[in-house]
Amino acid sequence: MLTLGVEEEYLLLDPATGTPVARAAQVRRAADLQPALADGEVQRELLQAQLEIATPVCHAPEEIGGHLRRMRHALGRAAAQDGCVLAACASAPFTDRLPVPVTDTVRYRSMHGDAPRLTDEQLICGMHVHLGIPDRSTGVTLLNALRPWLPLLVALAANSPLSQGADTGFASWRTVVFGRWAVSGMPPSFEDATDYDRRTRSLVENRLIPDTGQIYWHIRLSERYPTVEIRAMDVQLRADEAVLLAATVRALAARLLTPAAAGPSTAAIPPETLDAALWHSARHGCAAEVFDPLQGGLRPVRDAFATLVDFTAAAGEDGVQIGSGLERILREGNGAARQLGELRRGGREGLTGMIVDQTVAGGDRPR
């Protein structure tokens, strides 16, 4: 079975206003004193109101869940000690007039110099799933095979409906914002690992991007680890939702790497169809029809989820977990739906409280 690792990005918010606060360095120092956090598990991000965590290599989704709950709870305590709160929302729902400063590194200063407005608007947070692979050839096989499933993953994971105090009209505004970078969005298909390496190196050699770290496709081969990295999903409000997504990605990958994957072909889906399906998922999330890669068109959300459950059923326990998790999403809504619902009910204060409660150990907010 493929190994798993998850990275999550978080925002630091003012508990009274819900706006981002530039306290990442201070919270990292406080996190260093948390015995539940190991060295290197909390990392800086592009803006000073963001932090990232990375789990160890895991062999089961339950391991991912244990690490995420541990790290969210401990990092939430560190944030509280510094007078702010940890928020697993994929876009900042409220902002001040002034932009959050960029983190003071050579790389991040260079990115801001190249694209200042775009960098200032990167108050967005994602969830990245790393799947261990035996070689880069297998990674490219997975990249190609997972592409048609990305719209469904984006719809399921949508958790960024708000920006600058307003409803954006998109369930995943993060997908739209992040798609403005030069090499981003739906990846192309590749013939093999040699083709992948040649084409990605060409982008750097032609000075179109400074390095391969700025390849922001929704799936890419990791340059640091023997993994394929799936980056399409918004960070999730609850840790159990992150576990569901990790299990879903691994179950899809396991099925796609077996002869049992034979059936309706997704290889012939035109790239423009996948691009449009991805935009549709970012726009509507789970509130409308969703692109079904096996049927090749839009279908009711429940039907598309049934396709996903059936396709991953051979993945054993992961498949069982996916079915129960999707039923909960259908009952309660994904993060985008719950954010909008809470904003209508409880206003700004209620929404900020809900985000923080659901971020830290499923509602156990540190005090």
Side-chain angles (χ1 to χ4, degrees):
M1 185 64 76
L2 298 165
T3 57
L4 282 164
V6 167
E7 297 167 336
E8 286 191 323
E9 298 163 346
Y10 308 123
L11 289 168
L12 298 171
L13 304 181
D14 182 300
T17 65
T19 55
V21 290
R23 305 294 295 174
Q26 294 87 337
V27 173
R28 281 189 76 201
R29 285 196 292 269
D32 288 342
L33 302 178
Q34 291 285 325
L37 291 170
D39 290 343
E41 286 189 328
V42 180
Q43 302 159 10
R44 58 193 170 192
E45 253 298 331
L46 175 61
L47 298 178
Q48 293 182 29
Q50 297 169 306
L51 287 171
E52 181 181 62
I53 59 91
T55 72
V57 176
C58 298
H59 297 274
E62 292 74 19
E63 290 182 67
I64 293 290
H67 285 299
L68 291 181
R69 292 181 182 93
R70 168 181 62 82
M71 288 188 278
R72 284 179 176 220
H73 193 80
L75 192 54
R77 286 190 179 279
Q81 290 171 9
D82 198 65
C84 55
V85 292
L86 190 72
C89 50
S91 63
F94 313 107
T95 52
D96 288 327
R97 290 179 294 105
L98 298 177
V100 174
V102 70
T103 299
D104 191 16
T105 70
V106 172
R107 178 181 180 81
Y108 291 149
R109 289 198 304 270
S110 175
M111 289 176 66
H112 190 265
D114 288 342
R117 179 66 178 268
L118 181 53
T119 304
D120 288 343
E121 294 179 356
Q122 291 297 298
L123 284 166
I124 53 174
C125 297
M127 169 191 173
H128 307 156
V129 176
H130 286 260
L131 296 175
I133 50 175
D135 50 58
R136 290 173 72 82
S137 177
T138 304
V140 171
T141 297
L142 277 178
L143 184 154
N144 289 336
L146 284 168
R147 289 170 66 247
W149 295 92
L150 289 178
L152 193 54
L153 292 174
V154 168
L156 175 61
N159 184 34
S160 49
L162 302 164
S163 180
Q164 300 181 4
D167 182 352
T168 64
F170 283 77
S172 178
W173 184 238
R174 168 188 165 270
T175 298
V176 177
V177 172
F178 210 70
R180 294 183 292 181
W181 289 101
V183 185
S184 59
M186 182 70 69
S189 61
F190 297 93
E191 294 179 6
D192 51 30
T194 300
D195 184 44
Y196 180 94
D197 291 337
R198 176 183 59 79
R199 290 163 65 179
T200 53
R201 281 198 305 267
S202 176
L203 291 167
V204 178
E205 291 168 356
N206 288 323
R207 295 181 289 113
L208 295 170
I209 56 174
D211 53 60
T212 54
Q214 287 197 25
I215 291 174
Y216 295 135
W217 289 318
H218 287 317
I219 311 176
R220 68 183 185 185
L221 300 190
S222 174
E223 298 297 324
R224 298 176 58 194
Y225 307 110
T227 65
V228 60
E229 183 183 5
I230 296 86
R231 306 164 48 85
M233 293 87 71
D234 286 357
V235 72
Q236 298 298 285
L237 281 176
R238 298 192 306 246
D240 68 286
E241 294 171 309
V243 173
L244 168 64
L245 286 172
T248 300
V249 168
R250 184 169 75 163
L252 281 169
R255 174 70 193 276
L256 291 165
L257 288 176
T258 66
S265 175
T266 59
I269 300 176
E272 63 271 18
T273 296
L274 293 180
D275 288 338
L278 195 69
W279 190 94
H280 185 276
S281 289
R283 169 68 179 88
H284 298 286
C286 294
E289 294 178 306
V290 179
F291 182 77
D292 183 325
L294 298 187
Q295 298 296 323
L298 295 176
R299 298 183 72 200
V301 171
R302 181 172 289 277
D303 293 345
F305 282 2
T307 294
L308 177 60
V309 171
D310 290 344
F311 189 77
T312 57
E317 292 185 4
D318 283 1
V320 173
Q321 184 174 13
I322 291 166
S324 60
L326 292 179
E327 279 297 323
R328 182 173 180 177
I329 294 295
L330 288 170
R331 290 195 311 271
E332 301 178 4
N334 60 7
R338 299 202 308 278
Q339 282 198 54
L340 291 173
E342 184 58 38
L343 182 64
R344 289 191 294 268
R345 287 188 298 270
R348 186 170 184 150
E349 181 179 358
L351 175 62
T352 302
M354 184 208 78
I355 289 171
V356 176
D357 284 341
Q358 294 198 11
T359 295
V360 181
D364 182 17
R365 191 193 310 191
R367 301 183 185 280

